Amino acid sequence: MLNILYNKSHDLRAKEFNKLIETNFPHFLTQSKPDIILVAGGDGALHHATKHNKNFNGIYFGKALGNLNFLMNSFANDIEILKGIENGSIIVEIIETSTIDVYINDAYLTNSANDVVLGDSINSYLSFNITSEDNRYNNFDFRGTGLCISTPLGSTAFNLNNNGNVLDLDSRGLSITGVVTNKEIKDVVKNQKLIIKSQSHLFIDGVLMYKLKEQDELVLLPGKNIKLGFLDKKEFLNKRFMLSHRKGNY
């Protein structure tokens, strides 16, 4: 038997699913030692769960109720599927991928499973300075609209639209791209310590998290791997392939 914890959703689209869990699986709401954290909603709900369960080493499994549902599982027979996962008759396939830990000065802020983006408005022309642990960037100054540092999972999101490189999910790399910059920035580096200075807004996985000030130092460090669960891993990988080649409706 697998222990499942349900992160009750506040999304109105999950109202009926919440009731289903409360009625049929009330023990999912109080599980203290979960093997799986169940999330309902869109991809943002899953990213939210990874941020609020930083020390969790099990599997994140998403029930698709959002718009894109790239990381979520679409299924209609909820009770049958959830019972099967719990008793082990349905195998959850796993994809493990790396993340980024985000610090402002010496204080931990959050983690990122997708991307760290710095910027402001589309017409902004900001100053940036970046230093990497491997000295590929050494007090490197540039100006532009923004900067994107992407994980392998996030490399098919904003990074791809910014003409960045798509990374293998099991790599320990980062894709770094500049947004309308005065120097060309389109690199793949190992996941490592990065120090960035810029008076710009900080977005983590698409959510505005902080406004960097002149004295602030943004520090990115390799985060722990996370495990994403799928009923059909091949379907997810095919969607990712089609997306990375600009095909299909994803």
Side-chain angles (χ1 to χ4, degrees):
M1 294 285 289
L2 291 174
N3 296 325
I4 300 174
L5 172 66
Y6 177 54
N7 273 6
K8 188 173 180 178
S9 175
H10 298 292
D11 190 325
L12 291 177
R13 295 171 295 184
K15 184 178 179 180
E16 292 303 316
F17 190 75
N18 286 344
K19 286 183 179 179
L20 181 141
I21 297 296
E22 291 168 357
T23 302
N24 298 277
F25 305 95
H27 55 293
F28 284 10
L29 300 171
T30 57
Q31 180 55 246
S32 60
K33 295 182 179 179
D35 302 299
I36 294 175
I37 289 180
L38 172 64
V39 181
D43 291 348
L46 192 139
H47 286 307
H48 183 78
T50 65
K51 288 173 174 52
H52 285 77
N53 297 277
K54 186 176 187 298
N55 297 318
F56 178 61
N57 294 313
I59 302 165
Y60 294 94
F61 182 84
K63 159 71 176 177
L65 294 172
N67 296 318
L68 181 60
N69 297 319
F70 186 59
L71 303 175
M72 313 300 273
N73 296 273
S74 297
F75 54 91
N77 48 339
D78 297 331
I79 294 176
E80 179 184 341
I81 293 294
L82 294 175
K83 282 184 176 178
I85 293 172
E86 184 179 29
N87 65 33
S89 62
I90 294 177
I91 303 301
V92 175
E93 300 178 318
I94 299 170
I95 287 176
E96 188 168 343
T97 190
S98 58
T99 66
I100 300 169
D101 280 345
V102 182
Y103 291 78
I104 303 296
N105 304 316
D106 294 323
Y108 175 77
L109 180 64
T110 187
N111 78 313
S112 169
N114 249 20
D115 49 41
V116 176
V117 177
L118 295 128
D120 202 341
S121 71
I122 192 65
N123 295 317
S124 299
Y125 198 58
L126 307 168
S127 296
F128 298 88
N129 178 279
I130 181 170
T131 296
S132 60
E133 187 177 11
D134 64 3
N135 285 318
R136 184 175 187 134
Y137 296 98
N138 187 4
N139 243 2
F140 179 70
D141 289 312
F142 63 96
R143 291 179 64 82
T145 299
L147 176 68
C148 174
I149 299 96
S150 170
T151 67
L153 184 66
S155 65
T156 51
F158 182 87
N159 170 77
L160 177 62
N161 291 326
N162 201 40
N163 295 313
N165 296 283
V166 175
L167 306 177
D168 290 337
L169 286 169
D170 59 356
S171 75
R172 293 288 292 177
L174 299 172
S175 177
I176 302 178
T177 53
V179 185
V180 194
T181 50
N182 66 337
K183 298 177 183 178
E184 184 178 9
I185 303 171
K186 183 181 176 182
D187 286 327
V188 174
V189 301
K190 70 176 183 179
N191 197 340
Q192 61 186 288
K193 182 177 182 180
L194 299 174
I195 301 172
I196 302 168
K197 296 179 181 179
S198 176
Q199 293 184 60
S200 58
H201 288 90
L202 172 63
F203 299 84
I204 308 294
D205 297 341
V207 177
L208 176 60
M209 297 291 291
Y210 190 81
K211 173 65 170 73
L212 291 165
K213 299 177 281 294
E214 183 178 4
Q215 69 272 20
D216 285 331
E217 190 172 77
L218 174 65
V219 180
L220 308 182
L221 293 171
K224 65 183 293 184
N225 282 12
I226 57 170
K227 298 172 185 175
L228 305 177
F230 297 93
L231 294 175
D232 186 349
K233 183 167 68 173
K234 288 183 180 179
E235 180 184 8
F236 166 73
L237 293 174
N238 183 61
K239 285 196 295 185
R240 192 172 191 268
F241 174 82
M242 297 294 282
L243 182 63
S244 65
H245 288 77
R246 308 288 184 171
K247 298 176 181 179
N249 297 314
Y250 303 108

